[in-house]
Amino acid sequence: MSNDPSSFLVSTNTAFPQQGQVDWVSFGNALYSLTASTLQRFSSAGVQPATYAAGIALANRFKVGGLGEKRVDDALQNLRGVPGFEQILYFGFGHKSFVKLLAEDPKGTDLVALCSCLGEMHSETVTAWVLRELWSIEGFPDEYKPPHSQFMALAKACAGVLTRTSFSNTVAGMHLQVWDDWQKSSIMVSPAADIARVLNGLFKISRGEVDNITVLGYNECAFIAGIAQWLFNFTVRVEEENGRLVYTNTPEHKTAQVTLRYVEVDLQRHSLLLANTTYVLRSHTSLLIQTPDQSLLKFALRAPWDECLSRLFGVADFNNRLIKNAKTFGGFLGSIARIYAAVAKGEMELESESKKSVTESNFKYLSETVYGRGFAQSVISTFPELKCGIGFLDSLDTAIGVTLDIARRDIEFQLRSLQSLCSCLTCHPHMLKYHSRCLVVMAFTLYHLVLIVAGVEYPPDLHPTLSGLEEIYQNCTFIWGYRGIGSPPKGHQTWEYCLDQLRTLNSNDINRRQADELKEPVPGSLASAFLIFVGIWPQHSASINTADICTALCSMGLCFYQDSLRLLSSSAELAQKVHIIPGHIEWQDRSYDAVVDGLYHDSLIPKVPKAVFEEAVGTPPKNALRNDKASITSLVTERSTEREVAFYYKASISDGTVYIQPGFSGRHIISSTGRTSCDRISCLSLPWPCTFISKGWEMDKEFYDNLHYQNGIACCVWEFRDDFARCAALAALYSTREQGKRKTTYLLRTGECIPCCVRALLARDWSLVDNARGLSEGVVHIL
């Protein structure tokens, strides 16, 4: 026998009958041909070979329709992955992905199809419970039943395969569009046992044991109708409780193979199985015993972008309230775009911003997609439904083109106009007849969604979840109802205060779950994108240290990762960008749930030569650019949980090394990117003596003591040709900053000249020191 472990084979093959009883003696004694490399792929996915055998046994109990089989095959062919920096990490589905191993066998493909369909609408936890219940309902012996953790691993491995297909749209088309507003945020699944029983009914149709079944229920009926048509290619009829037709793909004179009726199921009046071919999908409450976290029991119903507003607000409110007042909405959003364009370009400062130091500002990292004409384009591309509103585009364009003074005057007027037009209890608490949707909150929701989505790069066929959109609306209701409707703090206009709160909003502000706080490079960016596309706030894993900054997450078959894992850059716009791709986080062919920076420790302290500088000067020297080069490599370590990895960069410079944590680095880049305008007139002379650092990197106590301080403030300038060296310098500056004696401020230039940057900083000279904390001197580093 060969000594090569990959040549080890255990031979034979076992088939399972689709009808009749499985020979479990043969099953228990069956041998599978698995090479060592195949076993490694099983291990990497966390799936045991016994679980694979159990899954194949389930897959042999049903037959996928011909068209459904083609759809799944096409989806598998279109799976792709994208590499991170140096191709160390992969996001999506790699060429050795576990699902591609499963798909090598026809029954393995059917297993992927079943798990993926379940995973598109349900959390991985619920999918695992359904598979476990199916095992029992099919009459398989408990001695071979995999544990819930193994079904969970199988659900995770198969999740995301169908995300870019039409399956979720098919399910959404089956859903009854008459729920009340409060139900939009609580679209819940049915118990796993009920779902498994109905799937068993579909299996029986595919095996020819029964001709048709009837299903009674509510939200879950949409999933059953979707999988019956999309995967099994059955004829389907969907009705309201009174018999009114919602959808059918069969002629009226023929009986559909699957008939579904939306009803409010009374648990006391209905047994689980009314007849041999009639099933009931009950409330989710019994699942709370197995899964106490209700967020994992939400039904992940998606809405196409070109219909999401009408589905979120309801067709009546969308047409009669939003579209009817489209001109006012357009004016409000256009005024925001105009004012933020001025703020982003340093032409003005808002009252709320003047209360913050340079490193606390919310505006400095805004990209062109969220202010000015770029914001208007983002609104239209995100919500094409708004184009049908009479006057919306014109008022949006007009508001962007006015002077700054007019925009500041108009925006508060637009806000109060929406409040006066509204008829909700938040705006008018004493109304007897009222609408549940608030016009002001609708406007805030549009702004907030555009702000989030503009910083996300996602596949065009990936649509948001209704539960996620509703959560965003509720967040905006919280801001308006509890902070905006009353008097804002002194010196703030109402609109400014509310939107300032929205920009920094995260799950902890709403849910009060400080223990679950998820730290991100940009507070709210990764978590908000996760909320929109997954439908729940990301759960803070108990294994992730609260000091860690999370740069990538994976759940329900979707992978979210910061751009800093793809490319190291000093660009603030890239530092806040989030990418989404169906699939998983992969390293060395293993799948993970999260990527974090990891704790900073002594071994990561920069080891660099001391900085060298000459006397402070009043004119920028002609040869100030440094030629330092930084060679970047990426480092990955597995965390003890085996579901997370720590990722960071190693920057090798002349005579030294700097370690860069991408999450912290992104946060530093964003907080250090200044908001200045360059007038091209007073760019020749410095308004303040500056010290230009010509060599070296380390700044010790002697360095700071010997700087030139004027009125307690010293300005240091670091100019690099190489962007990697610039990133390394910023990381080194933050890592070795002086503690307890002087306040340190950092500013990354974005094309502005050094004199204009210094001038902009000195205009806020009060923020460069902190007398309240005894810091009477300040040091400004300009890069």
Side-chain angles (χ1 to χ4, degrees):
M1 183 178 289
S2 170
N3 292 325
D4 181 5
S6 66
S7 66
F8 177 69
L9 294 175
V10 188
S11 130
T12 201
N13 202 347
T14 297
F16 299 88
Q18 290 190 352
Q19 300 185 38
Q21 296 297 315
V22 175
D23 183 350
W24 292 105
V25 174
S26 298
F27 176 85
N29 295 323
L31 297 177
Y32 292 86
S33 299
L34 299 173
T35 64
S37 60
T38 299
L39 286 171
Q40 175 61 34
R41 292 169 74 177
F42 274 94
S43 175
S44 298
V47 178
Q48 296 174 0
T51 306
Y52 164 76
I56 295 299
L58 282 175
N60 273 276
R61 301 299 290 159
F62 63 88
K63 182 179 180 181
V64 173
L67 181 57
E69 184 177 345
K70 182 181 183 303
R71 287 166 171 162
V72 175
D73 286 341
D74 289 344
L76 289 166
Q77 292 296 322
N78 291 328
L79 296 180
R80 66 183 185 92
V82 295
F85 188 81
E86 288 187 330
Q87 299 184 351
I88 301 297
L89 292 178
Y90 274 83
F91 307 100
F93 292 95
H95 68 283
K96 290 187 178 181
S97 177
F98 181 69
V99 293
K100 294 184 178 180
L101 174 64
L102 286 179
E104 292 175 6
D105 178 81
K107 281 291 127 184
T109 301
D110 291 349
L111 177 62
V112 171
L114 175 63
C115 294
S116 298
C117 284
L118 282 165
E120 280 302 298
M121 299 292 114
H122 309 86
S123 68
E124 290 149 352
T125 299
V126 173
T127 297
W129 282 118
V130 173
L131 294 174
R132 188 170 166 82
E133 293 289 345
L134 268 173
W135 182 274
S136 299
I137 290 170
E138 289 292 339
F140 295 170
D142 287 343
E143 63 183 295
Y144 296 117
K145 180 193 289 186
H148 179 266
S149 60
Q150 275 298 292
F151 279 123
M152 186 85 154
L154 186 60
K156 282 179 176 289
C158 297
V161 172
L162 303 181
T163 297
R164 300 192 64 181
T165 68
S166 59
F167 177 70
S168 61
N169 286 341
T170 300
V171 174
M174 304 290 187
H175 198 267
L176 188 60
Q177 299 293 312
V178 294
W179 355 285
D180 296 327
D181 286 330
W182 66 269
Q183 291 174 308
K184 287 192 173 71
S185 59
S186 57
I187 306 176
M188 311 300 282
V189 302
S190 292
D194 291 8
I195 300 171
R197 287 181 184 274
V198 178
L199 288 175
N200 174 255
L202 298 181
F203 294 176
K204 289 179 179 178
I205 297 176
S206 74
R207 298 196 300 260
E209 295 178 13
V210 299
D211 294 327
N212 53 73
I213 64 171
T214 300
V215 182
L216 309 178
Y218 205 52
N219 295 311
E220 201 69 52
C221 282
F223 167 71
I224 298 300
I227 193 173
Q229 175 176 300
W230 194 91
L231 184 63
F232 291 100
N233 308 146
F234 295 154
T235 55
V236 173
R237 180 180 177 86
V238 184
E239 303 173 345
E240 290 188 28
E241 188 167 9
N242 59 11
R244 188 179 73 85
L245 182 65
V246 175
Y247 171 84
T248 187
N249 62 354
T250 185
E252 188 66 30
H253 63 278
K254 290 188 178 181
T255 301
Q257 291 172 288
V258 182
T259 300
L260 302 107
R261 181 168 296 173
Y262 285 106
V263 296
E264 290 283 3
V265 178
D266 186 338
L267 297 181
Q268 303 302 319
R269 294 171 51 194
H270 292 282
S271 62
L272 180 63
L273 185 62
L274 296 183
N276 289 334
T277 58
T278 302
Y279 303 86
V280 174
L281 293 166
R282 298 172 295 176
S283 164
H284 70 285
T285 50
S286 63
L287 264 178
L288 293 173
I289 299 174
Q290 299 167 316
T291 310
D293 188 350
Q294 290 201 52
S295 67
L296 298 178
L297 304 181
K298 287 189 175 182
F299 189 65
L301 193 68
R302 298 188 183 276
W305 282 109
D306 56 0
E307 298 177 9
C308 68
L309 294 181
S310 56
R311 293 198 182 188
L312 171 64
F313 300 132
V315 175
D317 276 347
F318 175 75
N319 289 327
N320 300 331
R321 308 190 71 221
L322 197 160
I323 294 301
K324 184 177 180 181
N325 299 295
K327 188 174 181 179
T328 306
F329 277 93
F332 178 73
L333 295 173
S335 296
I336 293 176
R338 175 63 184 93
I339 292 173
Y340 287 173
V343 172
K345 296 175 181 177
E347 299 173 13
M348 65 162 286
E349 187 170 63
L350 298 177
E351 290 293 333
S352 61
E353 290 296 289
S354 66
K355 305 294 188 294
K356 301 174 182 176
S357 69
V358 175
T359 58
E360 295 172 331
S361 173
N362 289 326
F363 295 99
K364 64 177 69 64
Y365 55 86
L366 292 181
S367 67
E368 294 182 1
T369 57
V370 290
Y371 64 77
R373 302 288 177 188
F375 178 81
Q377 184 58 43
S378 296
V379 171
I380 299 305
S381 61
T382 306
F383 304 118
E385 291 173 282
L386 294 175
K387 290 189 289 187
C388 67
I390 299 175
F392 179 83
L393 294 177
D394 290 340
S395 60
L396 179 68
D397 186 68
T398 300
I400 294 174
V402 301
T403 64
L404 186 57
D405 290 339
I406 293 176
R408 289 176 64 88
R409 180 198 68 192
D410 286 351
I411 190 167
E412 191 77 11
F413 172 77
Q414 302 284 4
L415 177 65
R416 295 307 176 187
S417 295
L418 289 172
Q419 184 180 1
S420 65
L421 291 168
C422 189
S423 54
C424 75
L425 289 179
T426 302
C427 294
H428 304 285
H430 304 296
M431 293 193 70
L432 297 178
K433 293 184 178 181
Y434 58 88
H435 287 90
S436 59
R437 293 297 189 185
C438 174
L439 292 180
V440 177
V441 175
M442 284 184 179
F444 286 172
T445 301
L446 294 177
Y447 163 73
H448 198 192
L449 285 171
V450 172
L451 187 67
I452 296 168
V453 174
V456 177
E457 187 173 295
Y458 57 92
D461 45 10
L462 178 62
H463 303 298
T465 61
L466 277 174
S467 55
L469 295 177
E470 178 64 22
E471 184 76 13
I472 295 292
Y473 176 87
Q474 296 300 331
N475 293 350
C476 295
T477 300
F478 173 83
I479 294 296
W480 176 239
Y482 291 94
R483 299 181 182 178
I485 199 70
S487 299
K490 186 177 180 180
H492 293 72
Q493 288 186 295
T494 303
W495 70 270
E496 176 193 337
Y497 177 68
C498 290
L499 299 186
D500 187 56
Q501 294 289 317
L502 282 177
R503 278 189 301 278
T504 58
L505 191 68
N506 59 44
S507 61
N508 306 300
D509 295 321
I510 302 299
N511 299 327
R512 309 292 197 274
R513 295 168 64 173
Q514 295 299 327
D516 291 342
E517 181 180 0
L518 182 79
K519 295 189 182 301
E520 314 164 63
V522 184
S525 62
L526 194 67
S528 295
F530 188 96
L531 171 65
I532 290 175
F533 291 99
V534 174
I536 60 174
W537 286 107
Q539 303 294 307
H540 188 294
S541 171
S543 59
I544 298 180
N545 190 290
T546 54
D548 291 342
I549 289 186
C550 187
T551 51
L553 286 170
C554 180
S555 181
M556 287 184 66
L558 286 177
C559 179
F560 301 76
Y561 63 99
Q562 298 282 159
D563 193 81
S564 56
L565 298 182
R566 184 187 64 86
L567 175 68
L568 182 63
S569 169
S570 65
S571 165
E573 185 169 350
L574 292 179
Q576 67 171 339
K577 182 174 286 294
V578 175
H579 298 266
I580 305 176
I581 186 172
H584 313 101
I585 301 167
E586 296 182 357
W587 175 55
Q588 295 183 344
D589 298 327
R590 298 186 183 95
S591 296
Y592 296 88
D593 293 336
V595 179
V596 297
D597 274 355
L599 293 176
Y600 195 84
H601 47 83
D602 291 344
S603 64
L604 298 183
I605 294 176
K607 300 175 179 61
V608 291
K610 288 187 178 182
V612 177
F613 63 91
E614 298 178 356
E615 293 294 326
V617 297
T619 303
K622 294 182 179 180
N623 57 346
L625 275 174
R626 295 176 51 164
N627 294 316
D628 302 72
K629 295 286 186 180
S631 176
I632 303 295
T633 56
S634 54
L635 303 173
V636 182
T637 58
E638 189 174 50
R639 302 289 290 268
S640 59
T641 63
E642 298 183 359
R643 297 302 305 179
E644 294 130 17
V645 292
F647 177 93
Y648 50 101
Y649 292 105
K650 178 182 178 181
S652 301
I653 58 175
S654 178
D655 299 324
T657 302
V658 178
Y659 294 95
I660 304 172
Q661 297 172 291
F664 282 104
S665 176
R667 181 174 289 186
H668 296 158
I669 288 169
I670 289 167
S671 63
S672 303
T673 300
R675 187 175 66 254
T676 61
S677 60
C678 196
D679 57 17
R680 306 298 179 188
I681 298 175
S682 53
C683 299
L684 298 178
S685 61
L686 292 165
W688 199 266
C690 292
T691 301
F692 286 77
I693 314 300
S694 57
K695 296 180 181 179
W697 304 68
E698 183 184 357
M699 295 138 295
D700 53 14
K701 182 178 182 298
E702 182 182 0
F703 173 91
Y704 283 108
D705 288 343
N706 290 328
L707 287 174
H708 174 80
Y709 292 89
Q710 184 167 318
N711 295 337
I713 298 173
C715 289
C716 298
V717 181
W718 309 67
E719 285 203 279
F720 295 93
R721 297 182 188 275
D722 182 55
D723 194 54
F724 285 165
R726 192 184 191 207
C727 293
L730 183 64
L733 284 168
Y734 269 97
S735 301
T736 61
R737 61 185 182 275
E738 190 181 35
Q739 299 290 338
K741 185 175 180 181
R742 301 174 179 90
K743 182 173 181 179
T744 308
T745 302
Y746 308 90
L747 178 63
L748 280 175
R749 296 192 296 137
T750 55
E752 307 88 354
C753 69
I754 295 174
C756 285
C757 289
V758 175
R759 191 172 293 105
L761 283 169
L762 295 179
R764 306 169 63 124
D765 60 349
W766 62 269
S767 68
L768 304 181
V769 296
D770 193 345
N771 292 318
R773 293 167 54 193
L775 306 179
S776 58
E777 290 184 336
V779 179
V780 178
H781 293 285
I782 300 175
L783 293 89

